[in-house]
Amino acid sequence: MRSDKIKKGIERSPHRSLLRACGLKDEDFKKPFIGIANSYTDIVPGHIHLQEIANAVKEGINQSNGVPFEFNTMAICDGIAMNHEGMKYSLPSREIIANTVESVAMAHSLDGLVLVSSCDKIVPGMLMGAARLNIPSIMVTGGPMLPGEFDGKIVDFVNVYEAVSEVSSGKMTKEDLSRLEKSACPGPGSCSGLFTANTMACITESLGMSLPMCATTHAVHESKLEIATDSGKQIMKMIEEDLTPSKIMTQKSFENALAVDMALGGSSNTALHIPAIASELEKFGVKVDLDLFDKISREIPHIASISPAGNHTMLDLHNAGGIPGVLIAIQEKIATDTITSSGKTLKENIQDAKINNFDVIRTIDSPVHSEGGIAILKGNLAPNGSVIKQAAVSEDMMYHKGPVTVFNSEEEAVEYIFSKEISEGDIIVIRYEGPKGGPGMREMLNPTSAIVGLKIKNVALITDGRFSGGTRGPCVGHISPEAQSGGPIAGLQDGDIVEIDIKNRAINVELDDEELKNRLANVDLPKNDLKGWLNIYQKCVSSADKGAILR
């Protein structure tokens, strides 16, 4: 066992002495040491219940003759961090989380890991850490929040954001907004739509890194604790079988996860997180890039329309069959011989699964859209690629061409939108918000929600930053190369004509190569006075099309 490094032999007496201070007895030194990486905190709704889940995991480990050791990682709530400088720390926190998991597991020679997590950056960060370590690991995601109810309608966090601009435009009263605010988020769990947090939970289950039904079992459901206990038991079996992340998260498994992502119409942020996780497994032959996203998007239809793209909730998806139900629907198009953390193949995991509601999970012969939820656009404005959640774009905006209005920050764009100077047909460009430019590649739910709330149609947004998983409409993010790295978006000027052609996967500005080259040669890049972590991050972060990983 790896933990023998800290518990076996005369020379480890000092180590055992310290471990005895933690309550260990003689018999415990014969057992595997299991780390429980827990992102519990009481300021993030998706994490406020994780202590209870971690306790259930400990119970499973204890029942299976292991020794559980809980340690913590950080967690940032994107909703709370949204629309101010705090959002610059959200994506960078993914790297801190991965490094924390790696550091504790290596420093204490742990034999295995159970990852207890929820929400946007924390789930991929933990998976990155586990992949990097390549010791037996299993994840328990915290589960979705129940949807709220307002005047007889199902609502969630994004409805509150959109309602702010409805108040400013006189379409809603402040009193009604207050009632909505108090009812939209009724308790623990990841925000109830298929935003980035729940998308990543679905990806985790699809990869095989969590047990069946874990992703959609809601935070308050008693079966979530059963899954947690079973995961604690299962990690012990995984150690016996040396079932490591590299054996689970193979190239085929990543392609399966992308297929589920496309079938669900998941968050565009998966185009950052899935390549980032895959990058930790490059030496095992795993490669995930934007071209693979687009290839699978053309092969796998969008078969489940979950909020914000549709009217169904994560609870509807769970009751309809969860991720096993989605996998059953697309099984003829994926590899089902992959091994999972259950110790069984994907085929064995879903052999008894069924679809309980074909309105929620459709067949591939009767999809919501013929293509997957995410599209990758390239052209002279984004030579290395850009990302759009096409499942949340209306048919009449699948092609759009018009003049741009350019802003050098999210704040400038939001001020313009709320000033009501925006008109139908506009294309708003927000740049210098990429991984380096922000730095931190802020999510920008505020400008997209403002446009929806103001009921302004036919407006497109383009950014080298990114959008929330709750965003809907023609919003093109992750423009690469970004402006701060001298990408073409840095050369745009007000009035330039941009063409967005989603079906043909193109995004271009009507400028010849020479004109664009001359403009970029004269761009005066902004300089940020950075200190601390963001200064390090800006110097080391890669482009969005590479997953915004540190290199």
Side-chain angles (χ1 to χ4, degrees):
M1 289 187 288
R2 293 180 75 255
S3 58
D4 288 350
K5 295 177 183 178
I6 62 169
K7 66 186 183 186
K8 288 289 181 72
I10 295 175
E11 67 276 12
R12 298 308 183 209
S13 292
H15 305 67
R16 289 194 297 273
S17 178
L18 290 169
L19 289 165
R20 290 180 191 279
C22 298
L24 270 65
K25 308 300 182 186
D26 286 348
E27 61 270 20
D28 293 324
F29 294 107
K30 302 174 184 177
K31 303 174 183 178
F33 284 3
I34 312 299
I36 302 174
N38 186 0
S39 55
Y40 162 78
T41 174
D42 56 15
I43 196 173
V44 181
H47 294 67
I48 57 177
H49 63 302
L50 295 187
Q51 201 66 62
E52 189 177 7
I53 290 176
N55 288 338
V57 171
K58 289 179 184 177
E59 182 179 342
I61 293 170
N62 285 323
Q63 289 176 10
S64 300
N65 208 34
V67 181
F69 293 98
E70 183 178 351
F71 63 93
N72 292 106
T73 67
M74 65 177 295
I76 287 176
C77 176
D78 282 10
I80 296 173
M82 195 77 68
N83 192 29
H84 59 89
E85 63 182 5
M87 178 50 75
K88 294 183 178 183
Y89 288 87
S90 176
L91 183 58
S93 75
R94 187 188 67 185
E95 312 307 313
I96 296 175
I97 292 158
N99 292 340
T100 298
V101 171
E102 174 194 2
S103 299
V104 175
M106 289 299 293
H108 297 103
S109 298
L110 300 176
D111 297 303
L113 287 170
V114 182
L115 312 167
V116 178
S117 179
S118 190
C119 296
D120 303 41
K121 309 308 157 306
I122 303 91
V123 171
M126 286 198 179
L127 288 175
M128 289 168 68
R132 190 180 300 167
L133 291 161
N134 202 30
I135 62 175
S137 303
I138 189 170
M139 176 166 271
V140 184
T141 50
M145 181 188 295
L146 289 174
E149 185 175 331
F150 176 72
D151 288 349
K153 296 180 180 179
I154 296 296
V155 292
D156 55 41
F157 163 74
V158 172
N159 295 110
V160 185
Y161 243 103
E162 293 175 354
V164 172
S165 55
E166 291 185 32
V167 171
S168 70
S169 64
K171 296 180 173 67
M172 176 182 272
T173 66
K174 290 182 180 179
E175 291 72 24
D176 283 344
L177 175 60
S178 178
R179 289 195 302 115
L180 174 60
E181 170 193 326
K182 294 172 182 175
S183 60
C185 300
S190 304
C191 295
S192 62
L194 188 67
F195 313 141
T196 307
N198 289 322
T199 301
M200 285 310 304
C202 294
I203 293 298
T204 301
E205 185 177 329
S206 304
L207 277 170
M209 286 298 290
S210 62
L211 295 180
M213 298 302 292
C214 184
T216 59
T217 298
H218 279 51
V220 297
H221 201 286
E222 61 183 16
S223 59
K224 177 60 75 174
L225 297 181
E226 295 174 12
I227 291 172
T229 302
D230 289 344
S231 298
K233 295 176 180 178
Q234 184 58 27
I235 190 61
M236 300 300 294
K237 295 178 183 178
M238 293 173 72
I239 290 172
E240 290 176 12
E241 298 167 5
D242 193 31
L243 183 52
T244 59
S246 65
K247 297 174 182 176
I248 297 171
M249 292 192 285
T250 62
Q251 182 69 27
K252 286 183 179 179
S253 298
F254 275 101
E255 291 177 11
N256 290 343
L258 284 175
V260 169
D261 191 14
M262 299 306 163
L264 290 173
S267 166
S268 60
N269 282 311
T270 58
L272 288 172
H273 299 319
I274 297 177
I277 299 165
S279 73
E280 301 291 347
L281 295 160
E282 286 178 352
K283 67 180 179 181
F284 297 101
V286 174
K287 181 182 179 182
V288 177
D289 56 20
L290 294 186
D291 290 337
L292 183 61
F293 268 80
D294 204 56
K295 176 180 180 292
I296 293 178
S297 178
R298 294 178 186 274
E299 297 171 351
I300 304 295
H302 177 213
I303 61 171
S305 192
I306 313 299
S307 172
N311 296 321
H312 294 129
T313 66
M314 288 299 294
L315 187 59
D316 294 326
L317 178 61
H318 179 73
N319 291 334
I323 297 307
V326 176
L327 289 165
I328 283 285
I330 62 173
Q331 61 180 323
E332 66 185 59
K333 290 181 173 288
I334 61 175
T336 58
D337 59 344
T338 56
I339 195 70
T340 70
S341 59
S342 70
K344 301 176 182 178
T345 63
L346 188 64
K347 183 176 182 178
E348 290 173 314
N349 278 352
I350 65 175
Q351 63 183 359
D352 296 324
K354 60 181 180 179
I355 301 172
N356 303 314
N357 187 333
F358 286 95
D359 288 333
V360 179
I361 303 175
R362 299 194 188 186
T363 66
I364 58 174
D365 297 323
S366 181
V368 181
H369 298 106
S370 60
E371 292 187 339
I374 292 174
I376 305 301
L377 312 184
K378 291 186 177 182
N380 70 349
L381 189 54
N384 295 346
S386 62
V387 182
I388 188 167
K389 187 174 181 178
Q390 64 172 344
V393 180
S394 61
E395 184 64 30
D396 61 342
M397 286 298 289
M398 294 295 283
Y399 177 88
H400 186 71
K401 182 177 180 180
V404 299
T405 304
V406 183
F407 301 96
N408 289 334
S409 70
E410 176 188 3
E411 287 82 2
E412 292 177 18
V414 170
E415 183 179 353
Y416 176 79
I417 293 167
F418 276 106
S419 71
K420 301 183 180 64
E421 294 181 47
I422 190 170
S423 303
E424 292 201 12
D426 279 359
I427 298 178
I428 294 175
V429 174
I430 308 174
R431 62 190 178 192
Y432 299 112
E433 290 287 5
K436 286 184 180 294
M441 203 178 184
R442 289 191 286 181
E443 280 187 351
M444 287 178 277
L445 181 59
N446 203 33
T448 59
S449 296
I451 290 170
V452 172
L454 290 169
K455 301 293 191 291
I456 304 170
K457 298 179 180 179
N458 303 327
V459 173
L461 281 87
I462 298 172
T463 183
D464 55 5
R466 60 196 178 96
F467 294 111
S468 163
T471 292
R472 47 182 164 161
C475 302
V476 185
H478 308 205
I479 296 284
S480 299
E482 62 174 290
Q484 191 70 32
S485 296
I489 192 173
L492 289 185
Q493 297 176 2
D494 289 350
D496 286 341
I497 303 299
V498 166
E499 179 185 51
I500 304 169
D501 188 349
I502 299 173
K503 290 183 178 179
N504 290 309
R505 303 296 202 264
I507 181 165
N508 289 287
V509 57
E510 291 188 349
L511 294 173
D512 61 47
D513 293 346
E514 192 63 29
E515 171 65 17
L516 195 50
K517 182 180 178 180
N518 289 337
R519 288 192 190 181
L520 292 174
N522 292 291
V523 166
D524 186 17
L525 297 178
K527 294 179 176 60
N528 297 320
D529 182 20
L530 297 171
K531 298 178 181 178
W533 166 228
L534 288 184
N535 185 34
I536 297 169
Y537 183 82
Q538 186 182 57
K539 287 181 170 65
C540 300
V541 69
S542 71
S543 176
D545 64 290
K546 304 296 184 184
I549 55 177
L550 296 190
R551 284 293 181 266

